Amino acid sequence: MRFAVMIDPQAFFEALADPIRRRILAMLLEHDELCVCDLHGALDAPQPKVSRHLAVLRSAALVRVRRDGVWMRYRLDPQLPAWALRILMHMQDGLGAEAIAPAPSVCAPGES
């Protein structure tokens, strides 16, 4: 049975207010899990900036993180409520394929 996590609608929509965070969420919808290095390469943004945006998404309970050696890997929270997931899917449709294609990975899974 899937239990939806309680998220604050205000924090959810504030997280969607930034174009970089929208692209991160769209990429995570498309790919189960991405490393920070994948995201900053695809977004053409400095790693600290991407990490700050990921921190906002974590605090809004939209993404989860796990450490894999030296890499931090992010994914959508699997317990997102259905209403939030539907909004993210519609948002992804509006962004187009070029906005969600990540750069080739520079960090291999399981590599430390």
Side-chain angles (χ1 to χ4, degrees), residues 31-86:
H31 308 277
D32 292 333
E33 187 175 71
L34 291 170
C35 181
V36 174
C37 56
D38 296 327
L39 292 167
H40 94 82
L43 296 166
D44 194 28
Q47 183 272 325
K49 183 175 187 174
V50 173
S51 290
R52 277 195 317 273
H53 285 294
L54 287 163
V56 171
L57 296 173
R58 273 195 328 268
S59 68
L62 298 178
V63 298
R64 289 207 181 163
V65 64
R66 74 175 178 90
R67 181 173 293 281
D68 181 16
V70 297
W71 310 112
M72 298 301 286
R73 301 198 184 273
Y74 288 83
R75 63 186 168 105
L76 287 178
D77 190 317
Q79 297 178 343
L80 276 178
W83 66 265
L85 194 54
R86 283 193 304 271

Side-chain angles (χ1 to χ4, degrees), residues 6-32:
M6 293 295 294
I7 63 172
D8 175 21
Q10 182 71 28
F12 175 79
F13 287 108
E14 286 175 2
L16 295 183
D18 185 87
I20 289 178
R21 291 193 293 266
R22 288 193 300 268
R23 285 190 61 203
I24 290 170
L25 290 167
M27 285 188 270
L28 291 174
L29 275 168
E30 190 71 21
H31 308 277
D32 292 333

Side-chain angles (χ1 to χ4, degrees), residues 16 26 29 82-96:
L16 295 183
L29 275 168
W83 66 265
L85 194 54
R86 283 193 304 271
I87 289 170
L88 293 178
M89 292 167 91
H90 287 294
M91 177 203 68
Q92 180 188 31
D93 289 343
L95 288 177

